[in-house]
Structure formats: structure tokens, C-alpha cells
Amino acid sequence: MDYPKKLIDEVKERSKGMQLEGINSGSGPQHPLLMIVGEAPGRNEIVNNIPFSGDAGKELDKSLKQIGLTRDQVYITSAVRSRPFAIKKVFSKRENKEVIKYPNRKPTKKEILAHAPFLDFEIEYAQPKLIVALGNTGLERLLGSGHKISAEHGQVIKNTPILRLNETKDGYIWSKERYTIFPEYHPAAVFYNRKLTDDIIKDWDKIKPYVEKEKSENE
């Protein structure tokens, strides 16, 4: 996806003063069988400009394969399209001194709002019917605060509006269009809790019938 220059300039202006690095554009076709909305790109994504690359991307590819999809059939993006980073001083044993590190972090609500024009633009472009929200950030960006993956993973939220920027671009309103939303654990969750592996497999199995129906209607 090549974002229009005007859109990039707008988001850069909205993001001034925020600890965000680069822009990693979303990727995928119009009318995808599925849209994926994650949290934000990490260091790998900013370097290679491939959404969900690295180990988390491999886990996502496994889930897509499980339901009979490849990346070229889905649109992949996230709530924030720049890398949110922290600034931390740590002692390096190798260098035997204190050094500054810039690790990934969760985006703030202000950063998500600043990048809202990107996601709105991508949804208007792709026109998906089925959307997978990966992790709390993606889910709350679509359906509002208070939604939690731990409580809602594996559910199917049918015929629902989603949040988009209001006319003054300082908050959200509900869309006129309606979608089917699948709340799912972020692929990286298994790196911190291997016990989630079976849950993730079962949850993605619930998406498969909807994808197969979408396929048959597009044939």
C-alpha cells in the first residue's frame, strides 16, 4: 500500500512530539478474504517494510495456513503504523558501561488517535467484510475501550459498526458500514505463554467457516 503524500503529511503532523519511528505501510489487496488489524510495527517491520515479519509473522502465517489462506489473500495492518519506542538506560556488561536502548513499547491512546487516518483510509480502500483484531490494541481501536482479548478471544462479533475518526478528527464515531470481527490473541502472545497455543488454534478454527463462505461467494 502506497499512502497518499497528503495522508502521510497529515499523520506526521498529528504525531509531532511522539516517540514514534518511521512508517510501515499496510499490505494487501482490495476486497481481501480477511483483514488483520494488529498493534504497531516493531523494529523489523520498520527496516524491511513488511507487516508482521519476524517471529510473530511466522506465527501469523501458521494461523493463516490453518484456515486455508496465504498473505496475498489478506490485508495486514495495525492501529499505529510507526514503531512506538521507549528510551531506557541500561548497564551493558559487554561494553562495561551504561548505554541507552530504544525498545518497542505499546502505543498510547494519543498515538492511536494520531494514526487513525491511516487505518480509516485502509479500510475504505480494502472494503473487508471480515476483520481479525489481534491483541487488545487492535480490538479497542475497532470496538472501543474496555474490550479485552483475554475475555473475548474466539468469539464472533457479527454485523457490528467500528470506530472511525469524527469530522473534527479529535475523537471517534461509529461507522455506517458493518463488519464481522474476530478478537484473537496477538501471534507474539505464545512467546510469553506457550499454554495459549491450543487456544489460538481453536480460535482460528472458528474463523475458517466464515472465510470459506467468503471464498465461495467470490467464485
Side-chain angles (χ1 to χ4, degrees):
M1 160 66 72
D2 292 324
Y3 298 135
K5 183 179 183 300
K6 182 179 179 181
L7 181 64
I8 294 173
D9 291 343
E10 177 187 355
V11 173
K12 283 183 176 179
E13 181 65 28
R14 291 169 64 87
S15 303
K16 271 188 177 178
M18 299 176 181
Q19 288 176 195
L20 298 170
E21 176 189 12
I23 292 178
N24 168 228
S25 57
S27 176
Q30 276 190 304
H31 308 293
L33 291 171
L34 205 62
M35 178 178 245
I36 308 286
V37 178
E39 181 174 278
R43 198 182 308 273
N44 286 337
E45 287 81 4
I46 292 302
V47 171
N48 60 30
N49 201 36
I50 300 173
F52 274 97
S53 49
D55 290 338
K58 291 176 183 177
E59 293 297 321
L60 177 59
D61 289 344
K62 287 180 188 177
S63 296
L64 292 175
K65 184 178 180 181
Q66 176 188 328
I67 61 172
L69 293 179
T70 57
R71 280 190 176 229
D72 61 356
Q73 295 172 296
V74 303
Y75 193 100
I76 304 176
T77 186
S78 56
V80 171
R81 296 312 306 151
S82 297
R83 181 179 84 92
F85 64 89
I87 302 174
K88 292 186 177 181
K89 290 183 179 180
V90 297
F91 185 80
S92 170
K93 290 183 179 180
R94 184 172 62 84
E95 299 180 50
N96 195 32
K97 65 177 182 179
E98 195 174 62
V99 297
I100 298 176
K101 299 266 186 175
Y102 303 91
N104 299 335
R105 61 168 172 79
K106 181 178 179 178
T108 66
K109 289 185 177 181
K110 285 185 178 180
E111 289 165 345
I112 294 167
L113 181 62
H115 276 239
F118 277 151
L119 185 58
D120 286 355
F121 176 83
E122 289 176 297
I123 290 173
E124 287 176 9
Y125 165 82
Q127 297 179 31
K129 294 180 181 177
L130 311 176
I131 304 178
V132 174
L134 293 177
N136 290 332
T137 299
L139 184 60
E140 290 190 332
R141 168 61 177 88
L142 294 173
L143 298 181
S145 60
H147 287 272
K148 299 296 178 187
I149 291 294
S150 58
E152 299 175 55
H153 71 92
Q155 296 182 22
V156 181
I157 304 171
K158 299 179 183 179
N159 195 35
T160 180
I162 60 175
L163 293 177
R164 58 171 296 120
L165 272 179
N166 60 21
E167 289 187 7
T168 52
K169 298 189 177 183
D170 57 359
Y172 301 102
I173 57 173
W174 293 106
S175 66
K176 293 179 181 178
E177 300 77 15
R178 291 177 174 266
Y179 307 85
T180 297
I181 308 293
F182 306 97
E184 301 294 344
Y185 283 111
H186 193 282
V190 294
F191 304 142
Y192 310 104
N193 185 357
R194 286 290 174 184
K195 293 179 181 179
L196 293 177
T197 301
D198 288 343
D199 283 339
I200 290 173
I201 291 172
K202 290 176 184 176
D203 290 348
W204 278 84
D205 274 340
K206 294 177 183 177
I207 300 175
K208 192 171 184 178
Y210 293 87
V211 170
E212 290 179 341
K213 182 182 178 184
E214 191 71 10
K215 277 184 179 180
S216 65
E217 290 177 355
N218 290 340
E219 288 176 352

